[in-house]
Amino acid sequence: MKFVRFSFLFSIIILALSCEKKTEECKIDQEILDLDLTLKITRLEDEFFNASSKENFQFLLEKYPDFAEDYLGQSLYASPDSLISELIAIHQDSAMTVLYDSVKVQFQDISDIETDLENALKAIKYYFPEFKVPKVYTFLSGFNSDLIISENMIVIGLDYYLPTTHEFQPDLPRYMAERYDRPFIVPMIVTALSSRFNEINPQDNTMLAEMIYYGKAYHFTKAILPCTSDQFIIGYTEDEIAECYANEEYIWAHFVENELLYETNPFDITKYLGEAPFTDAISTKAPGRLGRWLGWNIVDDYQFNQDVTLPELMANPDAEQIFRQSGYRPRPLN
């Protein structure tokens, strides 16, 4: 099956509809904005790189015990002195100093990230009152970790999110590295947090179950970040998203004709949902993780047609029910 390329006229229509839809929907509920929650991101890369002695580092480990344990793994060291010695060595590494200087240039002001993340955390708290808002730190990971999220803490490795044109880049395939850029930070955090509310049936190991899981995750992220473009949620370019919609009937036909929805072979599931530069089982022009995108469409239709709330959707572990009651059909081109 060929992944056909849509016409220039069709792309303009899609773009116009997209802009119109964004204008109508891009509005954060005032009740959410009025929630009593103020986020202050702590710039730990500054505090640690400004430390100059063993006593300074000891003070920081005591000041931020959650970070010392959950991120630095303090209990895994023979003694605090062992960890401090390693931190001092990193501090004195010339390459890390250059990397730190680059991060300081690119992320001197993170007020936009702070505002967007504060509003996202407010929205999660609004829909899920039991949600405990974590502390948020930034740090220089040395390309060891992009995000660390625990119950009480979020750590953003800012070096992972330097511009894609920057000389310093994470050791990732290019198609993945392009998603590690500033506009992706908050959507990535929200998608990761969605797993706390995304109920599943552990006995269901079908491709459909995986598709619905990711579909719920992306739907959650869009609901929490209504003004965020889909490209920063799923990690496709605008052209790739438009082409997916232009070929939705072909994509769906491929899944149906090859009886993929109830496939349980992990290898086959990975071909359609795993990280890859393209979904070659469909076309080398089709972006990777196409099953996740399809799952997102199914979940969107389910929420719309059944009029369920976000908490109700996330609490439903029955992928088969969500699929059957979604009434999903590919969008016709005319």
Side-chain angles (χ1 to χ4, degrees):
M1 180 179 64
K2 294 183 178 179
F3 203 70
V4 296
R5 194 168 187 86
F6 58 90
S7 68
F8 180 69
L9 176 61
F10 182 76
S11 68
I12 292 177
I13 294 171
I14 287 288
L15 183 60
L17 291 175
S18 172
C19 292
E20 181 182 347
K21 181 179 179 182
K22 205 173 292 183
T23 302
E24 292 175 357
E25 295 185 356
C26 181
K27 190 174 181 181
I28 301 176
D29 194 310
Q30 193 61 44
E31 284 188 57
I32 292 174
L33 295 176
D34 289 342
L35 285 179
D36 184 17
L37 192 164
T38 302
L39 175 67
K40 177 61 179 175
I41 298 178
T42 304
R43 305 295 299 269
L44 287 187
E45 73 275 10
D46 291 336
E47 297 205 37
F48 274 83
F49 267 84
N50 287 329
S52 57
S53 67
K54 176 181 175 181
E55 290 72 26
N56 292 154
F57 282 106
Q58 181 66 51
F59 170 76
L60 289 174
L61 294 179
E62 293 173 357
K63 182 179 179 181
Y64 302 106
D66 51 350
F67 178 80
E69 182 53 45
D70 294 346
Y71 188 87
L72 298 177
Q74 181 171 326
S75 64
L76 301 176
Y77 288 82
S79 68
D81 286 348
S82 300
L83 173 56
I84 290 171
S85 295
E86 187 168 317
L87 291 172
I88 290 174
I90 293 172
H91 180 273
Q92 295 173 344
D93 187 312
S94 59
M96 287 294 288
T97 301
V98 173
L99 183 59
Y100 172 64
D101 290 341
S102 296
V103 166
K104 286 303 295 179
V105 169
Q106 297 295 332
F107 293 98
Q108 185 66 41
D109 180 8
I110 61 168
S111 57
D112 58 326
I113 298 172
E114 197 167 56
T115 297
D116 289 347
L117 186 53
E118 178 181 292
N119 288 339
L121 296 175
K122 283 182 177 180
I124 296 175
K125 187 74 174 175
Y126 176 82
Y127 288 109
F128 303 90
E130 73 280 9
F131 173 64
K132 181 180 178 182
V133 178
K135 298 176 184 176
V136 182
Y137 303 121
T138 59
F139 197 61
L140 190 67
S141 73
F143 294 114
N144 284 320
S145 59
D146 55 337
L147 289 173
I148 296 292
I149 299 180
S150 66
E151 183 177 354
N152 302 312
M153 179 185 75
I154 296 172
V155 182
I156 306 168
L158 288 178
D159 43 329
Y160 253 84
Y161 298 95
L162 289 168
T164 55
T165 55
H166 198 278
E167 61 178 313
F168 295 120
Q169 293 294 305
D171 185 19
L172 293 169
R174 193 66 208 163
Y175 71 90
M176 292 179 63
E178 288 176 352
R179 304 202 300 267
Y180 284 86
D181 200 358
R182 189 185 192 110
F184 291 90
I185 293 176
V186 175
M188 281 186 173
I189 291 173
V190 173
T191 301
L193 289 172
S194 74
S195 64
R196 300 188 184 184
F197 314 102
N198 199 343
E199 297 294 335
I200 62 170
N201 174 4
Q203 306 304 315
D204 187 349
N205 58 354
T206 62
M207 187 177 299
L208 177 63
E210 286 278 309
M211 291 166 62
I212 297 302
Y213 175 83
Y214 283 109
K216 288 165 66 182
Y218 293 143
H219 182 94
F220 177 97
T221 303
K222 188 67 175 183
I224 298 301
L225 300 171
C227 299
T228 297
S229 170
D230 290 358
Q231 72 181 104
F232 300 121
I233 295 175
I234 195 170
Y236 289 174
T237 66
E238 289 184 348
D239 283 348
E240 286 174 332
I241 291 173
E243 288 202 24
C244 285
Y245 279 115
N247 289 278
E248 190 173 5
E249 289 188 88
Y250 295 98
I251 295 168
W252 180 241
H254 178 89
F255 274 76
V256 172
E257 291 167 6
N258 292 279
E259 301 180 343
L260 294 175
L261 295 184
Y262 301 102
E263 178 61 64
T264 58
N265 185 316
F267 176 76
D268 288 330
I269 292 174
T270 299
K271 284 197 300 185
Y272 294 93
L273 286 94
E275 288 288 359
F278 44 78
T279 305
D280 59 353
I282 294 180
S283 168
T284 55
K285 294 182 179 180
R289 301 171 291 121
L290 207 50
R292 302 187 191 187
W293 174 82
L294 198 55
W296 190 3
N297 287 341
I298 293 171
V299 170
D300 279 354
D301 283 359
Y302 170 75
Q303 190 281 327
F304 179 80
N305 289 322
Q306 300 302 320
D307 194 25
V308 296
T309 65
L310 184 62
E312 289 171 339
L313 169 67
M314 300 304 288
N316 187 348
D318 193 335
E320 175 72 15
Q321 181 195 65
I322 290 173
F323 170 57
R324 295 298 177 189
Q325 294 184 2
S326 71
Y328 170 75
R329 291 291 183 275
R331 285 76 173 163
L333 299 186
N334 47 38

PDB file of all heavy atoms in Angstrom, residues 239-255:
ATOM      1  N   ASP A 239       3.481  18.645   8.634  1.00  0.00           N
ATOM      2  CA  ASP A 239       3.282  17.952   7.361  1.00  0.00           C
ATOM      3  C   ASP A 239       2.957  16.480   7.586  1.00  0.00           C
ATOM      4  O   ASP A 239       2.085  15.912   6.906  1.00  0.00           O
ATOM      5  CB  ASP A 239       4.535  18.066   6.482  1.00  0.00           C
ATOM      6  CG  ASP A 239       4.658  19.430   5.821  1.00  0.00           C
ATOM      7  OD1 ASP A 239       3.673  20.186   5.856  1.00  0.00           O
ATOM      8  OD2 ASP A 239       5.741  19.725   5.286  1.00  0.00           O
ATOM      9  N   GLU A 240       3.642  15.850   8.528  1.00  0.00           N
ATOM     10  CA  GLU A 240       3.380  14.437   8.811  1.00  0.00           C
ATOM     11  C   GLU A 240       1.972  14.233   9.349  1.00  0.00           C
ATOM     12  O   GLU A 240       1.282  13.275   8.969  1.00  0.00           O
ATOM     13  CB  GLU A 240       4.413  13.905   9.807  1.00  0.00           C
ATOM     14  CG  GLU A 240       5.790  13.682   9.215  1.00  0.00           C
ATOM     15  CD  GLU A 240       6.827  13.298  10.237  1.00  0.00           C
ATOM     16  OE1 GLU A 240       6.693  13.694  11.426  1.00  0.00           O
ATOM     17  OE2 GLU A 240       7.794  12.609   9.871  1.00  0.00           O
ATOM     18  N   ILE A 241       1.521  15.136  10.211  1.00  0.00           N
ATOM     19  CA  ILE A 241       0.162  15.032  10.747  1.00  0.00           C
ATOM     20  C   ILE A 241      -0.858  15.180   9.616  1.00  0.00           C
ATOM     21  O   ILE A 241      -1.811  14.394   9.505  1.00  0.00           O
ATOM     22  CB  ILE A 241      -0.075  16.099  11.837  1.00  0.00           C
ATOM     23  CG1 ILE A 241       0.760  15.775  13.079  1.00  0.00           C
ATOM     24  CG2 ILE A 241      -1.562  16.175  12.202  1.00  0.00           C
ATOM     25  CD1 ILE A 241       0.726  16.858  14.135  1.00  0.00           C
ATOM     26  N   ALA A 242      -0.641  16.164   8.754  1.00  0.00           N
ATOM     27  CA  ALA A 242      -1.567  16.383   7.638  1.00  0.00           C
ATOM     28  C   ALA A 242      -1.592  15.178   6.706  1.00  0.00           C
ATOM     29  O   ALA A 242      -2.661  14.764   6.226  1.00  0.00           O
ATOM     30  CB  ALA A 242      -1.172  17.644   6.872  1.00  0.00           C
ATOM     31  N   GLU A 243      -0.428  14.593   6.446  1.00  0.00           N
ATOM     32  CA  GLU A 243      -0.375  13.426   5.563  1.00  0.00           C
ATOM     33  C   GLU A 243      -1.039  12.209   6.206  1.00  0.00           C
ATOM     34  O   GLU A 243      -1.658  11.392   5.513  1.00  0.00           O
ATOM     35  CB  GLU A 243       1.074  13.112   5.190  1.00  0.00           C
ATOM     36  CG  GLU A 243       1.664  14.121   4.217  1.00  0.00           C
ATOM     37  CD  GLU A 243       2.834  13.562   3.442  1.00  0.00           C
ATOM     38  OE1 GLU A 243       2.924  12.332   3.302  1.00  0.00           O
ATOM     39  OE2 GLU A 243       3.667  14.355   2.971  1.00  0.00           O
ATOM     40  N   CYS A 244      -0.915  12.086   7.518  1.00  0.00           N
ATOM     41  CA  CYS A 244      -1.596  10.980   8.199  1.00  0.00           C
ATOM     42  C   CYS A 244      -3.100  11.091   8.033  1.00  0.00           C
ATOM     43  O   CYS A 244      -3.786  10.093   7.743  1.00  0.00           O
ATOM     44  CB  CYS A 244      -1.228  10.970   9.685  1.00  0.00           C
ATOM     45  SG  CYS A 244       0.431  10.353  10.049  1.00  0.00           S
ATOM     46  N   TYR A 245      -3.644  12.305   8.193  1.00  0.00           N
ATOM     47  CA  TYR A 245      -5.078  12.481   8.003  1.00  0.00           C
ATOM     48  C   TYR A 245      -5.469  12.265   6.543  1.00  0.00           C
ATOM     49  O   TYR A 245      -6.528  11.702   6.255  1.00  0.00           O
ATOM     50  CB  TYR A 245      -5.510  13.875   8.470  1.00  0.00           C
ATOM     51  CG  TYR A 245      -5.705  13.955   9.957  1.00  0.00           C
ATOM     52  CD1 TYR A 245      -4.882  14.755  10.752  1.00  0.00           C
ATOM     53  CD2 TYR A 245      -6.701  13.208  10.596  1.00  0.00           C
ATOM     54  CE1 TYR A 245      -5.036  14.817  12.129  1.00  0.00           C
ATOM     55  CE2 TYR A 245      -6.876  13.260  11.971  1.00  0.00           C
ATOM     56  CZ  TYR A 245      -6.041  14.069  12.730  1.00  0.00           C
ATOM     57  OH  TYR A 245      -6.202  14.114  14.085  1.00  0.00           O
ATOM     58  N   ALA A 246      -4.603  12.695   5.621  1.00  0.00           N
ATOM     59  CA  ALA A 246      -4.895  12.495   4.200  1.00  0.00           C
ATOM     60  C   ALA A 246      -4.916  11.023   3.831  1.00  0.00           C
ATOM     61  O   ALA A 246      -5.562  10.626   2.868  1.00  0.00           O
ATOM     62  CB  ALA A 246      -3.850  13.231   3.346  1.00  0.00           C
ATOM     63  N   ASN A 247      -4.210  10.196   4.610  1.00  0.00           N
ATOM     64  CA  ASN A 247      -4.107   8.762   4.333  1.00  0.00           C
ATOM     65  C   ASN A 247      -4.801   7.903   5.391  1.00  0.00           C
ATOM     66  O   ASN A 247      -4.569   6.700   5.466  1.00  0.00           O
ATOM     67  CB  ASN A 247      -2.634   8.363   4.258  1.00  0.00           C
ATOM     68  CG  ASN A 247      -1.958   8.897   3.009  1.00  0.00           C
ATOM     69  OD1 ASN A 247      -2.056   8.317   1.942  1.00  0.00           O
ATOM     70  ND2 ASN A 247      -1.279  10.027   3.153  1.00  0.00           N
ATOM     71  N   GLU A 248      -5.657   8.519   6.203  1.00  0.00           N
ATOM     72  CA  GLU A 248      -6.257   7.789   7.319  1.00  0.00           C
ATOM     73  C   GLU A 248      -7.033   6.553   6.872  1.00  0.00           C
ATOM     74  O   GLU A 248      -6.975   5.495   7.518  1.00  0.00           O
ATOM     75  CB  GLU A 248      -7.174   8.724   8.123  1.00  0.00           C
ATOM     76  CG  GLU A 248      -7.647   8.119   9.434  1.00  0.00           C
ATOM     77  CD  GLU A 248      -8.412   9.118  10.280  1.00  0.00           C
ATOM     78  OE1 GLU A 248      -8.657  10.259   9.801  1.00  0.00           O
ATOM     79  OE2 GLU A 248      -8.769   8.762  11.411  1.00  0.00           O
ATOM     80  N   GLU A 249      -7.751   6.660   5.767  1.00  0.00           N
ATOM     81  CA  GLU A 249      -8.501   5.499   5.278  1.00  0.00           C
ATOM     82  C   GLU A 249      -7.570   4.350   4.908  1.00  0.00           C
ATOM     83  O   GLU A 249      -7.852   3.188   5.189  1.00  0.00           O
ATOM     84  CB  GLU A 249      -9.360   5.903   4.079  1.00  0.00           C
ATOM     85  CG  GLU A 249     -10.539   6.799   4.448  1.00  0.00           C
ATOM     86  CD  GLU A 249     -11.474   7.016   3.271  1.00  0.00           C
ATOM     87  OE1 GLU A 249     -12.389   6.194   3.084  1.00  0.00           O
ATOM     88  OE2 GLU A 249     -11.273   8.004   2.546  1.00  0.00           O
ATOM     89  N   TYR A 250      -6.442   4.676   4.277  1.00  0.00           N
ATOM     90  CA  TYR A 250      -5.468   3.653   3.902  1.00  0.00           C
ATOM     91  C   TYR A 250      -4.833   3.018   5.144  1.00  0.00           C
ATOM     92  O   TYR A 250      -4.629   1.807   5.196  1.00  0.00           O
ATOM     93  CB  TYR A 250      -4.380   4.256   3.017  1.00  0.00           C
ATOM     94  CG  TYR A 250      -4.879   4.737   1.677  1.00  0.00           C
ATOM     95  CD1 TYR A 250      -5.171   6.085   1.473  1.00  0.00           C
ATOM     96  CD2 TYR A 250      -5.053   3.858   0.617  1.00  0.00           C
ATOM     97  CE1 TYR A 250      -5.634   6.540   0.250  1.00  0.00           C
ATOM     98  CE2 TYR A 250      -5.515   4.307  -0.622  1.00  0.00           C
ATOM     99  CZ  TYR A 250      -5.803   5.648  -0.784  1.00  0.00           C
ATOM    100  OH  TYR A 250      -6.263   6.092  -1.998  1.00  0.00           O
ATOM    101  N   ILE A 251      -4.528   3.856   6.119  1.00  0.00           N
ATOM    102  CA  ILE A 251      -3.908   3.359   7.357  1.00  0.00           C
ATOM    103  C   ILE A 251      -4.863   2.403   8.061  1.00  0.00           C
ATOM    104  O   ILE A 251      -4.487   1.297   8.473  1.00  0.00           O
ATOM    105  CB  ILE A 251      -3.539   4.539   8.276  1.00  0.00           C
ATOM    106  CG1 ILE A 251      -2.454   5.400   7.620  1.00  0.00           C
ATOM    107  CG2 ILE A 251      -3.055   4.036   9.636  1.00  0.00           C
ATOM    108  CD1 ILE A 251      -2.232   6.736   8.305  1.00  0.00           C
ATOM    109  N   TRP A 252      -6.108   2.831   8.203  1.00  0.00           N
ATOM    110  CA  TRP A 252      -7.098   2.003   8.891  1.00  0.00           C
ATOM    111  C   TRP A 252      -7.343   0.700   8.140  1.00  0.00           C
ATOM    112  O   TRP A 252      -7.438  -0.370   8.745  1.00  0.00           O
ATOM    113  CB  TRP A 252      -8.399   2.781   9.064  1.00  0.00           C
ATOM    114  CG  TRP A 252      -9.492   2.014   9.765  1.00  0.00           C
ATOM    115  CD1 TRP A 252     -10.712   1.688   9.272  1.00  0.00           C
ATOM    116  CD2 TRP A 252      -9.446   1.472  11.088  1.00  0.00           C
ATOM    117  NE1 TRP A 252     -11.447   0.981  10.187  1.00  0.00           N
ATOM    118  CE2 TRP A 252     -10.693   0.835  11.317  1.00  0.00           C
ATOM    119  CE3 TRP A 252      -8.487   1.461  12.092  1.00  0.00           C
ATOM    120  CZ2 TRP A 252     -10.996   0.190  12.528  1.00  0.00           C
ATOM    121  CZ3 TRP A 252      -8.779   0.825  13.292  1.00  0.00           C
ATOM    122  CH2 TRP A 252     -10.026   0.193  13.497  1.00  0.00           C
ATOM    123  N   ALA A 253      -7.418   0.783   6.821  1.00  0.00           N
ATOM    124  CA  ALA A 253      -7.623  -0.421   6.014  1.00  0.00           C
ATOM    125  C   ALA A 253      -6.478  -1.408   6.219  1.00  0.00           C
ATOM    126  O   ALA A 253      -6.691  -2.627   6.279  1.00  0.00           O
ATOM    127  CB  ALA A 253      -7.748  -0.045   4.544  1.00  0.00           C
ATOM    128  N   HIS A 254      -5.258  -0.895   6.341  1.00  0.00           N
ATOM    129  CA  HIS A 254      -4.099  -1.767   6.579  1.00  0.00           C
ATOM    130  C   HIS A 254      -4.263  -2.519   7.899  1.00  0.00           C
ATOM    131  O   HIS A 254      -4.005  -3.722   7.973  1.00  0.00           O
ATOM    132  CB  HIS A 254      -2.817  -0.939   6.594  1.00  0.00           C
ATOM    133  CG  HIS A 254      -1.590  -1.732   6.882  1.00  0.00           C
ATOM    134  ND1 HIS A 254      -0.834  -2.348   5.895  1.00  0.00           N
ATOM    135  CD2 HIS A 254      -0.967  -2.053   8.062  1.00  0.00           C
ATOM    136  CE1 HIS A 254       0.181  -2.991   6.445  1.00  0.00           C
ATOM    137  NE2 HIS A 254       0.128  -2.814   7.759  1.00  0.00           N
ATOM    138  N   PHE A 255      -4.684  -1.825   8.944  1.00  0.00           N
ATOM    139  CA  PHE A 255      -4.854  -2.466  10.254  1.00  0.00           C
ATOM    140  C   PHE A 255      -5.967  -3.511  10.207  1.00  0.00           C
ATOM    141  O   PHE A 255      -5.839  -4.592  10.781  1.00  0.00           O
ATOM    142  CB  PHE A 255      -5.153  -1.403  11.323  1.00  0.00           C
ATOM    143  CG  PHE A 255      -3.927  -0.778  11.919  1.00  0.00           C
ATOM    144  CD1 PHE A 255      -3.204   0.172  11.220  1.00  0.00           C
ATOM    145  CD2 PHE A 255      -3.484  -1.141  13.183  1.00  0.00           C
ATOM    146  CE1 PHE A 255      -2.062   0.756  11.761  1.00  0.00           C
ATOM    147  CE2 PHE A 255      -2.357  -0.568  13.740  1.00  0.00           C
ATOM    148  CZ  PHE A 255      -1.639   0.376  13.022  1.00  0.00           C
TER     149      PHE A 255
END
